[in-house]
Amino acid sequence: TDTLLAELARKNYLLAAGVAGILLAAAVLAYFMLRHMLTVPLGQLIRAAQAVEDEEYEVGTLKEVRARGDELGRLASVFEDMVVKLATRYESLVNFMRSVVLKIRGDCVVTFANAYATELLGFANAELVGSHLKLIVPPEGHDALQQQVDLLQGEAVRVNEITQNLGKSGEKIWIAWSNRVIKSGQGAGKE
């Protein structure tokens, strides 16, 4: 009987070890499946949302997630469609304004110019965007330009600062500027 009980105990132990091994393998498989099906796409959505905040999002980034036929695919589609609609509305609104709207980085490079800015200053949009702000500032104001931008970092808003600017033809144009800092993500931009 002792041998029979020892044999049964050994078989029960092996059976328990086999079941534990199968459960462990199932758990590992479930982890990788959930990671592939949920964690990775959710991470892509989170990174896309961060890219929108940092103004670095490129339409089509979520193409793989959108191609899924599940809820995450629909969420990615709604997210990307919303980003496109909001960007279009923002651009339409800003371009409709009869005020000069420029967005510049801390190094004084123009990253956005609305339609009225190009109309008033006489530059094509491609000539303003990517150019240094010195393009529209008379030479006598070049030295003070970076100092003014640096001072703006400490203040949230500077309103109605009237300065002389240059059009493409060289004509001097007086503009009352309202400036504010826009901070996004890790960096900071100035407008």
Side-chain angles (χ1 to χ4, degrees):
T1 59
D2 287 340
T3 309
L4 185 59
L5 288 175
E7 184 65 26
L8 281 174
R10 188 179 70 77
K11 285 182 180 181
N12 280 342
Y13 175 75
L14 289 174
L15 183 62
V19 169
I22 290 171
L23 288 174
L24 181 62
V28 169
L29 181 63
Y31 167 78
F32 284 109
M33 285 178 57
L34 284 173
R35 179 171 165 78
H36 175 72
M37 294 176 66
L38 291 175
T39 308
V40 171
L42 283 173
Q44 290 173 323
L45 283 166
I46 291 167
R47 284 189 298 280
Q50 185 64 46
V52 169
E53 183 182 350
D54 294 340
E55 298 181 20
E56 298 172 352
Y57 182 75
E58 293 182 27
V59 175
T61 301
L62 296 173
K63 183 179 177 182
E64 280 183 31
V65 181
R66 286 183 77 160
R68 298 166 53 123
D70 61 3
E71 289 80 8
L72 285 175
R74 286 192 293 280
L75 178 62
S77 293
V78 168
F79 175 83
E80 198 162 74
D81 293 345
M82 179 187 66
V83 168
V84 169
K85 285 178 185 174
L86 288 175
T88 302
R89 287 179 186 162
Y90 172 78
E91 190 171 323
S92 295
L93 177 66
V94 172
N95 278 321
F96 183 72
M97 294 172 62
R98 297 303 290 172
S99 298
V100 172
V101 177
L102 297 178
K103 186 175 179 186
I104 64 164
R105 296 188 313 235
D107 60 359
C108 296
V109 173
V110 177
T111 60
F112 174 83
N114 72 341
Y116 189 68
T118 60
E119 180 184 326
L120 181 68
L121 297 169
F123 292 96
N125 193 280
E127 291 175 302
L128 283 174
V129 175
S131 297
H132 196 279
L133 200 55
K134 288 180 180 179
L135 181 68
I136 64 166
V137 175
E140 59 271 13
H142 287 186
D143 292 337
L145 180 62
Q146 188 64 50
Q147 287 178 343
Q148 290 174 330
V149 171
D150 291 342
L151 285 174
L152 184 59
Q153 288 180 6
E155 300 177 30
V157 177
R158 290 173 68 188
V159 179
N160 294 328
E161 185 174 300
I162 300 172
T163 61
Q164 193 176 52
N165 299 95
L166 290 176
K168 184 174 182 175
S169 65
E171 69 178 302
K172 295 190 177 184
I173 304 166
W174 289 93
I175 299 176
W177 293 98
S178 294
N179 305 302
R180 70 182 180 102
V181 174
I182 298 174
K183 294 184 179 186
S184 59
Q186 304 294 327
K190 290 170 194 53
E191 182 173 11

